[in-house]
Amino acid sequence: MVGIEDVSLSFISQPQPDPLVLELNHLQNQLKDKDNELSAAQNEIKASRATQAHKEKALDELKANYDKLEEKLRATENVLQQKNLEMKKLADEKKDALAAQFCC
């Protein structure tokens, strides 16, 4: 049977790891963690750029649609103005015709 003294002696007699090896392992672990953080940040940047590109594309499409609608509005306003002028001309001609009937 192994006693307490035997366990403590076996523990003491085991070679202790070299502090340089421990520090090197610690630094390698930190480097892996930082690499993982960097990869995550790079992926986030790529996703953000893709999102930004989609937003810009959608904005360009909206602007093009807006420009088309604005041009259509200008054309409709011109047609409306022409129709109003025609209606005024017809109204004036009607007045002149009625005045001519009652005048002579």
Side-chain angles (χ1 to χ4, degrees), residues 59-103:
L59 187 60
D60 289 343
E61 290 174 3
L62 286 172
K63 185 178 179 333
N65 191 29
Y66 173 81
D67 291 343
K68 287 178 187 176
L69 289 173
E70 188 159 359
E71 181 61 34
K72 200 173 189 180
L73 175 63
R74 276 191 239 116
T76 303
E77 285 174 340
N78 287 339
V79 168
L80 179 61
Q81 186 178 18
Q82 291 299 319
K83 295 292 181 183
N84 284 337
L85 288 174
E86 286 178 25
M87 287 174 43
K88 184 175 188 235
K89 183 180 174 185
L90 289 173
D92 289 345
E93 288 175 0
K94 183 179 177 181
K95 283 182 191 177
D96 291 344
L98 287 174
Q101 281 180 349
F102 292 113
C103 175

